[in-house]
Amino acid sequence: MPQKHDCCPALNDPRSVVRKFLARPQHEGVGAIVRRSIGRFELRYFDPFLVLDEFSVTAPAGFPDHPHRGFETVTYMLQGSITHEDFEGHKGTIGAGDLQWMTAGRGIVHSEMPAPQGTQKGLQLWVNLSSKYKMIEPRYQELSSKDIAETTKDGIKVRVIAGEALGIKSPVYTRTPTMYLDFTMEPESHLRQPIPKSWNAFVYVLEGEGIFGRLKSSSSVNAHHLLLLGAGDGLEAWNKSSKLLRFILVGGEPLGEPLVQFGPFVMNTQEEIDQTIDDFENYTNGFENARHWRSEFGLSLDF
């Protein structure tokens, strides 16, 4: 019999799974394939989360020059590498296990393109910003894989992208309070992970199959499924299979503010969206550098 592992303190009120989606492949950018789970027609917004994409891209496909305003993009690479470049001269490459947490704030125009060989895979999460932060200056937080907090306990490995788990914390600062945890569970392991009661939270399964929520009332869930969690003080998860289970657990404090979105622009009112479009088209109020800048990949009008 495999040894059973039981990690973490008991929860008083574990969260149940209230909705489940299979993220099906769709085209995005220029020739890229994404599995979108948040931001699709059944789930336009899960406050404070706007989009979750599991992407797969092979050159020459990719995400050429495009703008953002009013939120943050979180890119976490699973395989291969992506080169990013923006109109402020910020350029670099993130590889497997690396993280880029980009605060678009008042405006960024950038490109995200794959390495020339092979297929590049990763996750991109869009986190909304409160109205008081939507027009702040852009900034980046980047961590290489070796600098991401990681630990293993009782058959469970966690990489802490944001927040804390199993006694370790991420150095990433989140303006919208957020937790982002990458768990890998061995067969017969059992996880209990606290989540602040007031936060919204979800699970996205990357590999294997697991049971989430309440053991007696939940069935096994496999890769590419998004699970929205109901109210409670944390998540319980079990790996009852013979293979590894890998998933992300993401939670955030709801903003509770009006939302108006036009593609890559996310504001609170239609007037602010109209102003954003005007700013972008006229290279003003944060988009000044877009007038003369092009990445080596060129402009995408697909937004």
Side-chain angles (χ1 to χ4, degrees):
M1 288 285 291
Q3 181 180 359
K4 290 190 176 183
H5 305 292
D6 199 0
C7 176
C8 321
L11 301 170
N12 293 321
D13 183 22
R15 295 181 180 225
S16 296
V17 174
V18 294
R19 293 179 75 183
K20 180 174 79 170
F21 301 95
L22 174 63
R24 302 181 186 278
Q26 67 183 58
H27 290 278
E28 191 70 19
V30 178
I33 302 295
V34 305
R35 291 178 178 268
R36 179 162 296 172
S37 47
I38 299 174
R40 57 197 248 174
F41 69 93
E42 305 102 317
L43 186 61
R44 287 295 185 192
Y45 184 46
F46 186 52
D47 193 3
F49 305 111
L50 296 152
V51 166
L52 177 66
D53 283 343
E54 179 184 3
F55 62 82
S56 177
V57 57
T58 304
F63 307 95
D65 306 5
H66 58 280
H68 295 292
R69 174 181 278 180
F71 61 100
E72 300 182 300
T73 67
V74 183
T75 306
Y76 181 44
M77 292 300 298
L78 301 175
Q79 172 185 307
S81 62
I82 292 284
T83 295
H84 57 92
E85 179 183 355
D86 77 14
F87 70 174
E88 298 282 355
H90 187 274
K91 185 175 182 179
T93 298
I94 53 173
D98 295 349
L99 170 74
Q100 181 194 78
W101 197 294
M102 183 187 82
T103 303
R106 65 199 301 253
I108 279 282
V109 179
H110 73 157
S111 65
E112 302 157 291
M113 300 299 288
Q117 285 84 35
T119 298
Q120 327 307 316
K121 296 182 179 182
L123 299 169
Q124 188 167 92
L125 176 71
W126 292 12
V127 185
N128 199 8
L129 287 170
S130 170
S131 57
K132 63 185 174 183
Y133 295 134
K134 284 189 177 295
M135 294 297 286
I136 62 175
E137 291 297 318
R139 67 173 296 206
Y140 291 88
Q141 298 175 86
E142 294 176 328
L143 289 178
S144 64
S145 183
K146 65 180 176 58
D147 294 325
I148 291 177
E150 181 179 309
T151 192
T152 301
K153 181 180 180 182
D154 297 329
I156 299 171
K157 182 178 82 170
V158 65
R159 309 190 81 224
V160 183
I161 309 303
E164 58 183 297
L166 305 191
I168 59 172
K169 293 184 179 182
S170 166
V172 170
Y173 173 68
T174 60
R175 288 192 179 274
T176 301
T178 304
M179 63 189 298
Y180 189 146
L181 309 173
D182 174 7
F183 285 106
T184 301
M185 297 178 60
E186 294 180 4
E188 297 302 319
S189 58
H190 175 202
L191 170 71
R192 301 185 189 99
Q193 172 60 42
I195 303 168
K197 276 197 166 187
S198 63
W199 289 17
N200 284 332
F202 67 85
V203 165
Y204 186 77
V205 182
L206 295 170
E207 177 186 346
E209 58 181 277
I211 298 172
F212 302 89
R214 300 179 187 274
L215 185 60
K216 292 183 179 179
S217 58
S218 300
S219 57
S220 190
V221 180
N222 56 18
H224 313 302
H225 279 90
L226 178 87
L227 309 176
L228 300 188
L229 303 178
D233 63 356
L235 171 71
E236 284 201 84
W238 295 262
N239 183 358
K240 296 291 187 180
S241 75
S242 60
K243 298 180 180 179
L244 290 176
L245 163 65
R246 186 181 183 189
F247 64 92
I248 60 167
L249 169 62
V250 179
E253 185 173 64
L255 299 177
E257 296 181 354
L259 174 79
V260 182
Q261 180 174 357
F262 180 76
F265 303 141
V266 182
M267 304 300 287
N268 296 104
T269 68
Q270 185 59 49
E271 290 76 16
E272 291 171 343
I273 288 292
D274 293 342
Q275 183 62 55
T276 297
I277 294 169
D278 187 68
D279 290 343
F280 178 65
E281 291 180 344
N282 292 287
Y283 311 110
T284 58
N285 201 21
F287 290 110
E288 289 82 356
N289 288 346
R291 181 183 295 275
H292 300 295
W293 179 82
R294 294 290 183 275
S295 77
E296 62 180 284
F297 305 106
L299 181 66
S300 170
L301 299 178
D302 183 22
F303 64 84

